[in-house]
């Protein structure tokens, strides 16, 4: 491993001040991937250390901390390729971690999509048992969250396209954003379906979060129409409010592609996204002081020197009062504007100034990333998984 020197590029915003330089040390892992579609940091063996869990095209594997020994828990042929997303939860109530898995991903070229869950219970050998849940075409993102306020979390399903739609506008029908209840017997019983929304188009991602601060889990979605807040009402219906306009000038791809929520030094939040869909802009939204929560927030373009931004995370990387914005770029724009990891550090309490750090350019064609403390030193590290580069890398946080 070697210490990377970071390239600091200042955003063209007035009154920019300098912060301590972010510093990361890269470690290339031995695992070779087809496409690293998704990565999560979870304790898989009960040793109180975060392991690296990866969704590969035809596999699901986890790398054991700290040796990074590879364990394959789902192998080729157990699901329809490609696997594209997973979500951890104790689905059958045995106290062990299970996963819901979205598979049958056709890269946007087909309407197929399967949802299943896998468990180590009763498994013979290393590969876990697979139990089907349902088919939901073009399922692209899944997460567990207790959005109904009952005893168990629901499995939230976010397809990319609406049923029967065709490119480039995919306008014939809306995306079926749904919640599936875990039934008493998840192996044999039907999983009840609750419709959250079916009016938006090309929903690349969503985020379960208590956004309104009322103790209930809401959902923020990123779609062709922009950034929306979805809230469950007392009568069981869902109401949506637009928070971000998205890029509505680009065509045919438009809107927003990813979504995470970060914290500023004054305690206010910012919404971070990539625009348009699979786009070339890193965008932050902040709430105007004189406007209510459920209103259009102010749009700030932080960076437009990239191609195919694809991963977003918010985390405190330098032990200050705010959270940095971590971005994964999938493709090279030019020979000098490379794919890889970029970090944006808020420079004021209102989120009007950011400082950009480019780390390890060209090393990972980042499809997804995750942030967490892997070595117990109190600093958040970054793990990135690649598409064209077929690799996984840890970026150890060495910021002083």
């Amino acid at each position: 491993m070697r210490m990377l020197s970071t390239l600091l590029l200042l955003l063209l915003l007035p009154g920019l001040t300098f912060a301590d330089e972010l510093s990361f040390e890269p470690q290339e892992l031995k695992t070779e991937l087809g496409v690293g579609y998704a990565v999560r940091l979870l304790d898989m063996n009960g040793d109180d250390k975060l392991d690296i869990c990866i969704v590969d095209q035809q596999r699901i594997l986890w790398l054991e901390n700290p040796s990074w020994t590879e364990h394959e828990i789902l192998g080729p042929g157990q699901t329809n390729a490609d696997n594209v997303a997973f979500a951890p939860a104790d689905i059958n109530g045995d106290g062990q971690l299970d996963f819901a898995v979205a598979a049958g991903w056709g890269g946007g070229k087909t309407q197929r999509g399967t949802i299943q869950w896998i468990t180590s219970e009763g498994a013979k050998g290393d590969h876990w048992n697979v139990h089907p849940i349902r088919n939901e075409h073009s399922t692209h993102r899944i997460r567990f969250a207790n959005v109904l306020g009952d005893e168990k979390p629901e499995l939230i399903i976010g397809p990319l396209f609406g049923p029967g739609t065709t490119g480039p506008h995919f306008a014939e029908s809306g995306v079926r954003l749904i919640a599936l209840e875990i039934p008493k017997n998840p192996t044999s019983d039907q999983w009840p379906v609750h419709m959250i929304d079916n009016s938006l188009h090309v929903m690349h991602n969503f985020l379960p979060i208590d956004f309104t601060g009322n103790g209930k889990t809401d959902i923020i979605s990123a779609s062709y129409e922009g950034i929306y807040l979805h809230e469950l009402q007392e009568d069981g219906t869902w109401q949506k409010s637009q928070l971000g306009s998205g890029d509505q000038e680009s065509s045919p791809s438009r809107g927003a592609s990813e979504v995470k929520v970060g914290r500023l030094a004054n305690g206010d939040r910012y919404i971070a996204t990539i625009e348009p869909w699979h786009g070339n802009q890193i965008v932050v939204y902040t709430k105007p002081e004189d406007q209510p929560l459920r209103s259009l927030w102010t749009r700030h373009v932080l960076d437009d020197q990239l191609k195919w931004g694809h991963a977003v995370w918010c985390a405190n990387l330098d032990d200050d009062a705010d959270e940095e914005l971590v971005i994964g770029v999938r493709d090279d724009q030019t020979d000098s504007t490379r794919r890889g990891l970029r970090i944006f550090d808020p420079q004021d309490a209102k989120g009007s100034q950011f400082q950009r750090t480019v780390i390890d350019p060209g090393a990972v064609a980042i499809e997804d990333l995750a942030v967490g403390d892997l070595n117990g030193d109190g600093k958040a590290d970054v793990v990135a998984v690649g598409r064209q580069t077929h690799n996984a890398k840890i970026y150890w946080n060495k910021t002083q």
Side-chain angles (χ1 to χ4, degrees):
M1 295 188 295
R2 60 185 176 85
M3 185 69 70
L4 283 178
S5 61
T6 57
L7 174 64
L8 295 181
L9 299 174
L10 305 184
L11 302 178
L12 299 179
L13 293 170
L16 187 62
T17 59
F18 289 88
D20 291 339
E21 182 176 327
L22 294 167
S23 180
F24 288 84
E25 184 177 282
Q27 179 182 354
E28 182 88 29
L29 300 176
K30 294 181 180 180
T31 293
E32 183 174 346
L33 304 173
V35 175
Y37 277 110
V39 60
R40 297 288 181 270
L41 305 183
L42 303 165
D43 182 4
M44 292 293 293
N45 56 359
D47 64 355
D48 295 324
K49 296 177 182 178
L50 291 177
D51 306 300
I52 300 173
C53 304
I54 302 173
V55 172
D56 199 4
Q57 280 180 294
Q58 300 187 57
R59 305 183 299 156
I60 291 180
L61 56 141
W62 65 279
L63 309 180
E64 185 175 351
N65 189 346
S67 66
W68 311 119
T69 300
E70 182 178 305
H71 303 269
E72 183 179 281
I73 61 174
L74 187 77
Q78 287 190 274
T79 56
N80 295 332
D82 285 358
N83 302 316
V84 70
F86 64 168
D90 179 8
I91 294 173
N92 57 7
D94 66 352
Q96 303 299 313
L97 195 65
D98 309 304
F99 288 98
V101 179
W105 173 244
K109 298 178 181 178
T110 73
Q111 295 288 332
R112 61 184 178 173
T114 67
I115 305 166
Q116 44 270 301
W117 69 282
I118 64 173
T119 179
S120 61
E121 183 182 37
K124 297 179 180 179
D126 295 331
H127 288 170
W128 292 13
N129 289 329
V130 180
H131 302 287
I133 298 175
R134 64 181 286 118
N135 292 340
E136 192 71 36
H137 69 89
S138 73
T139 294
H140 187 247
R141 296 289 183 261
I142 59 175
R143 298 180 189 274
F144 279 102
N146 192 342
V147 296
L148 299 183
D150 50 12
E151 296 180 355
K152 293 182 179 180
E154 289 74 43
L155 179 60
I156 316 303
I157 308 296
L160 184 58
F161 305 123
T165 57
T166 56
H169 300 292
F170 305 98
E172 292 90 342
S173 65
V175 169
R176 283 170 44 88
L177 180 63
I178 59 176
L180 305 182
E181 285 188 65
I182 301 175
K184 183 176 181 180
N185 188 334
T187 301
S188 59
D189 295 347
Q190 294 287 324
W191 291 45
V193 179
H194 298 263
M195 178 63 68
I196 297 172
D197 189 87
N198 62 356
S199 66
L200 303 173
H201 302 83
V202 189
M203 185 179 294
H204 192 263
N205 217 332
F206 64 89
L207 176 68
I209 183 175
D210 178 7
F211 192 73
T212 59
N214 63 359
K216 299 179 180 179
T217 302
D218 312 304
I219 293 175
I220 299 179
S221 65
S223 67
Y224 261 15
E225 285 77 13
I227 303 296
Y228 276 82
L229 169 66
H230 304 261
E231 299 175 80
L232 180 64
Q233 305 300 298
E234 293 297 330
D235 63 0
T237 62
W238 287 79
Q239 178 178 309
K240 70 177 185 294
S241 307
Q242 189 172 18
L243 302 179
S245 62
D247 177 359
Q248 300 302 332
E249 296 182 1
S250 297
S251 182
S253 296
R254 58 188 177 92
S257 190
E258 290 288 330
V259 63
K260 286 290 192 300
V261 174
R263 187 186 70 250
L264 297 169
N266 65 358
D268 289 347
R269 289 166 295 184
Y270 64 87
I271 301 171
T273 184
I274 301 290
E275 294 183 355
W277 173 41
H278 285 165
N280 67 321
Q281 301 170 49
I282 298 167
V283 174
V284 161
Y285 290 92
T286 57
K287 189 183 80 66
E289 292 183 2
D290 59 346
Q291 295 297 317
L293 180 73
R294 299 170 186 84
S295 62
L296 276 178
W297 290 25
T298 303
R299 182 175 184 263
H300 311 273
V301 178
L302 303 188
D303 192 355
D304 61 2
Q305 300 302 303
L306 62 141
K307 182 180 180 181
W308 209 301
H310 208 265
V312 176
W313 202 280
C314 298
N316 192 337
L317 303 177
D318 54 5
D319 197 28
D320 58 6
D322 56 48
E323 291 180 333
E324 282 67 46
L325 170 58
V326 186
I327 297 291
V329 179
R330 209 183 79 176
D331 291 6
D332 290 334
Q333 185 183 49
T334 66
D335 289 342
S336 59
T337 307
R338 305 296 307 279
R339 62 200 176 197
L341 187 64
R342 302 184 186 186
I343 299 175
F344 296 80
D345 188 357
Q347 297 296 292
D348 70 342
K350 295 183 178 180
S352 62
Q353 303 167 356
F354 282 74
Q355 180 173 304
R356 187 182 84 168
T357 304
V358 178
I359 297 174
D360 203 17
V364 185
I366 299 179
E367 184 82 5
D368 197 21
L369 60 82
V371 179
D373 183 1
L374 293 175
N375 57 3
D377 66 353
K379 298 178 181 180
D381 309 299
V382 180
V383 177
V385 293
R387 176 177 281 264
Q388 304 96 306
T389 49
H390 311 294
N391 62 340
K393 254 189 168 182
I394 299 173
Y395 292 94
W396 297 102
N397 191 345
K398 300 298 181 180
T399 304
Q400 300 299 315

